[in-house]
Amino acid sequence: MRKIGKAWIAFFISGLSAAFSPAQTAGTVRHYLSGTGPSDAVPWEFFCTKGRKSGEWTTIPVPSNWEQHGFGNYNYGHDKDKHDEQGLYRCRFQTPAEWSGQTVRIVFEGSMTDTEVKLNGASAGPVHQGAWYEFRLPVSHLLKYGQENLLEVTVSKCSSNESLEQAERKADFWVFGGIFRPVYLEVLPPGFIDRCAIDARADGSFQVDVFTQTGEGAEMPDGITAQLETLDGVPAGSPVRVRFSGEKEPVRLSTKLDNPRLWSDEHPNLYRVRLSLMRGDTVLHEITERFGFRTFEVRPGDGLYLNGKKMIIKGINRNSFHPEKARAPDPEDERAAALAIKAMNANLVRSHVSPSRYFMNLCDELGLFVINELCTWQKPWIDTPTARKLIQELVERDRNHPSLLMWANGNEAGFNLDVDGDFHLYDPQKRPVIHPWALFSEIETKHYPAYSMLVNMLKGPDICLPTEFLHGLYDGGLGAGLEDYWDAIRASQYGAGGILWCWADEAIVRTDQSNRLDTAG
């Protein structure tokens, strides 16, 4: 009860701060309806349709996975029959009258898996399918300003899209249900900067594509400015301004910074860009976005290069997980994991499931490379229309992170070849797209090669980077024979490193079995 009480207090304070924020603001107001993690989670009304504690309205903390709070039933991905309960959520919140005339969107950072959203009894948009992908819905027209609003969310643990069900929930890991990442409202002016796409290179060249939206009643902008800054706000170089023509295509701004401090795994130097939507000298809306100057190259038949220097990947596979909190770890849990990975001298994390926003930011700050993956487990792959939508959501959220090294289009034969080119539609850096366990993009990523096979692969002519090797999940074998493998990789001109499977056993605390730790056999 004490934790719930603290969560309500945090929610009340959050509501007060948002309620007294000025309606006209140059920035974006973020008003949380949930907590940022389990430790400050906000209780919402909750009804589980099947399994444990089903059939009656009660409360559940958001974010969380409902199995860890005694609802529904557990499934591992390999289970033939999946429990298909739904979670019905209700959240009541106030919006200040001053928000009227602004643009308001609701953002879900992660929900497992099919998610239907209603606000004040009306649909806020189509059902979102895909657990690991952030989505936002415009809700300005549905809100009651200066009054109480009712948010209703239906989360179906199993997806009605069979290809997505196969991809996300029949994999070799625990599968859960629930709103497991933060939910919040974004409050913006009628005309605003929606997003940006950055390409910052080691030679100091900087390019950003700026995407804007103009709603009813918005002042028409006449320009966009970009000012590079250090993280403490000191200008780096001169501002750049481009006239705004009102076209739907993004506005591109370019500049160059002399002798920038470069981002790398050893020296993760970060900058930010301040983007301002202007009318004359008036700032209509402003955002800041972090980035790093760095150039990553794949040189076919040679190796991987960062800022002109050949690099070796010392990687770990790690899915976001906590034994008690499942897929909803707290920020401090994510930080502890990132620091521990860095302390073991690893320099890359690959995930089957897209990491949280918070973990991606940590990787930027600490110097941990990331391979971010469209979550597909072997065959069949995600159908093309769904995959295209999820790739756009994945890339648009994470493309500005300097830590992000490559995209992975699925895992172990779960490759929809029709969407390989989609990653580059949204990523101006054109990062390599790989097929983990296959040869693609001039990189051989064979999984679990025997030592003799590895030695043969290292003869070339392709770059050799096993994206999983020396299996260590549940079997205690992680790292056994690593010295032999590593010596062979480093001795070869084609050896680009390797990525161990995996960081830790995903043993879940079973709330239906007296909190027994279960590693699924």
Side-chain angles (χ1 to χ4, degrees):
M1 293 298 296
R2 183 179 179 187
K3 181 179 287 188
I4 295 295
K6 287 171 66 179
W8 273 116
I9 291 170
F11 181 48
F12 178 68
I13 293 172
S14 170
L16 281 180
S17 66
F20 287 98
S21 296
Q24 296 295 328
T25 176
T28 301
V29 174
R30 180 178 291 186
H31 174 73
Y32 278 89
L33 301 178
S34 73
T36 58
S39 291
D40 66 351
V42 173
W44 290 15
E45 297 172 58
F46 186 71
F47 183 99
C48 185
T49 61
K50 294 181 181 179
R52 297 175 300 150
K53 294 172 65 174
S54 62
E56 61 178 347
W57 282 98
T58 179
T59 61
I60 193 171
V62 179
S64 69
N65 289 121
W66 62 60
E67 294 87 349
Q68 295 311 99
H69 294 275
F71 297 97
N73 291 292
Y74 286 87
N75 271 128
Y76 195 81
H78 288 168
D79 294 347
K80 184 177 180 180
D81 297 318
K82 292 292 195 297
H83 298 291
D84 61 350
E85 68 266 18
Q86 292 180 311
L88 313 182
Y89 294 81
R90 293 195 300 223
C91 173
R92 304 172 195 275
F93 62 94
Q94 295 283 136
T95 52
E98 290 83 0
W99 283 6
S100 180
Q102 302 290 85
T103 299
V104 184
R105 304 188 292 193
I106 190 167
V107 180
F108 288 77
E109 290 194 3
S111 180
M112 303 179 75
T113 181
D114 288 7
T115 304
E116 179 184 11
V117 182
K118 292 183 178 180
L119 189 57
N120 295 320
S123 172
V127 174
H128 184 270
Q129 296 183 315
W132 306 103
Y133 310 90
E134 181 176 290
F135 69 97
R136 48 185 35 80
L137 299 167
V139 295
S140 307
H141 60 299
L142 300 178
L143 287 169
K144 298 177 180 178
Y145 298 98
Q147 303 178 50
E148 182 180 81
N149 294 267
L150 174 61
L151 173 66
E152 298 172 281
V153 184
T154 300
V155 179
S156 300
K157 188 159 76 170
C158 291
S159 178
S160 63
N161 181 315
E162 182 57 29
S163 71
L164 194 65
E165 180 71 10
Q166 293 277 349
E168 292 192 351
R169 305 195 63 81
K170 295 190 177 179
D172 190 7
F173 46 70
W174 287 101
V175 290
F176 301 97
I179 301 172
F180 68 103
R181 286 179 180 165
V183 181
Y184 49 87
L185 299 175
E186 288 179 333
V187 186
L188 310 106
F192 60 94
I193 298 172
D194 184 39
R195 62 196 187 279
C196 67
I198 294 170
D199 187 4
R201 301 295 176 120
D203 64 357
S205 61
F206 176 89
Q207 175 182 292
V208 59
D209 290 336
V210 183
F211 300 79
T212 64
Q213 289 192 27
T214 304
E216 185 177 349
E219 292 188 72
M220 289 305 298
D222 58 19
I224 297 176
T225 63
Q227 172 65 66
L228 306 188
E229 300 175 343
T230 63
L231 292 189
D232 55 3
V234 177
S238 301
V240 179
R241 182 161 181 162
V242 171
R243 287 193 57 80
F244 182 76
S245 61
E247 299 169 350
K248 291 185 178 180
E249 293 300 316
V251 177
R252 176 166 293 178
L253 297 96
S254 301
T255 187
K256 190 168 186 177
L257 187 64
D258 293 333
N259 302 314
R261 299 177 66 194
L262 301 185
W263 188 95
S264 70
D265 54 325
E266 296 292 340
H267 302 284
N269 298 304
L270 291 169
Y271 290 82
R272 70 186 187 192
V273 59
R274 183 177 300 276
L275 298 169
S276 306
L277 189 65
M278 306 293 295
R279 181 173 178 83
D281 294 328
T282 301
V283 178
L284 303 179
H285 184 232
E286 191 170 77
I287 67 170
T288 60
E289 186 81 359
R290 293 197 319 184
F291 69 94
F293 286 100
R294 63 112 176 99
T295 298
F296 174 65
E297 302 170 84
V298 177
R299 298 184 184 178
D302 183 0
L304 309 180
Y305 284 77
L306 184 71
N307 302 332
K309 296 181 180 179
K310 197 167 189 177
M311 59 187 291
I312 294 290
I313 298 298
K314 298 170 286 186
I316 280 287
N317 283 278
R318 182 252 182 192
N319 293 330
S320 179
F321 182 80
H322 188 278
E324 294 176 324
K325 306 166 190 176
R327 302 294 180 196
D330 274 305
E332 55 263 36
D333 301 319
E334 297 277 73
R335 176 170 286 276
L339 288 171
I341 292 169
K342 187 72 176 178
M344 68 171 281
N345 202 34
N347 65 4
L348 179 139
V349 177
R350 171 180 171 242
S351 298
H352 288 316
V353 299
S354 183
S356 67
R357 271 184 175 265
Y358 185 81
F359 191 80
M360 291 296 299
N361 287 333
L362 285 174
C363 291
D364 291 343
E365 295 163 10
L366 297 175
L368 279 172
F369 302 118
V370 176
I371 295 176
N372 209 341
E373 188 162 297
L374 179 70
C375 183
T376 304
W377 189 262
Q378 300 181 358
K379 294 181 179 179
W381 48 77
I382 302 175
D383 69 84
T384 296
T386 304
R388 287 194 161 136
K389 180 177 182 296
L390 296 180
I391 288 170
Q392 182 176 1
E393 291 173 349
L394 178 70
V395 176
E396 287 188 343
R397 194 199 75 167
D398 288 342
R399 61 191 168 192
N400 295 331
H401 290 281
S403 57
L404 204 156
L405 214 60
M406 307 177 195
W407 306 105
N409 181 13
N411 175 66
E412 296 185 354
F415 318 128
N416 183 338
L417 305 182
D418 291 342
V419 299
D420 279 321
D422 283 50
F423 292 87
H424 289 178
L425 293 177
Y426 311 105
D427 179 13
Q429 297 183 33
K430 310 298 183 189
R431 293 172 176 89
V433 177
I434 62 172
H435 291 173
W437 100 337
L439 173 61
F440 192 72
S441 294
E442 315 282 356
I443 303 173
E444 173 59 76
T445 61
K446 175 68 177 174
H447 285 183
Y448 308 109
Y451 180 74
S452 59
M453 181 185 296
L454 176 76
V455 170
N456 190 56
M457 289 163 51
L458 288 169
K459 294 177 182 177
D462 301 304
I463 298 169
C464 180
L465 177 68
T467 40
E468 294 178 24
F469 78 124
L470 296 180
H471 194 280
L473 182 67
Y474 305 152
D475 55 19
L478 184 63
L482 176 58
E483 185 174 9
D484 293 335
Y485 276 70
W486 207 246
D487 286 347
I489 289 170
R490 296 188 66 185
S492 168
Q493 72 176 86
Y494 303 103
I499 308 174
L500 295 168
W501 184 272
C502 67
W503 173 239
D505 290 353
E506 292 189 2
I508 191 69
V509 173
R510 291 286 295 260
T511 59
D512 60 343
Q513 295 180 6
S514 302
N515 292 337
R516 178 180 73 88
L517 279 167
D518 186 356
T519 59

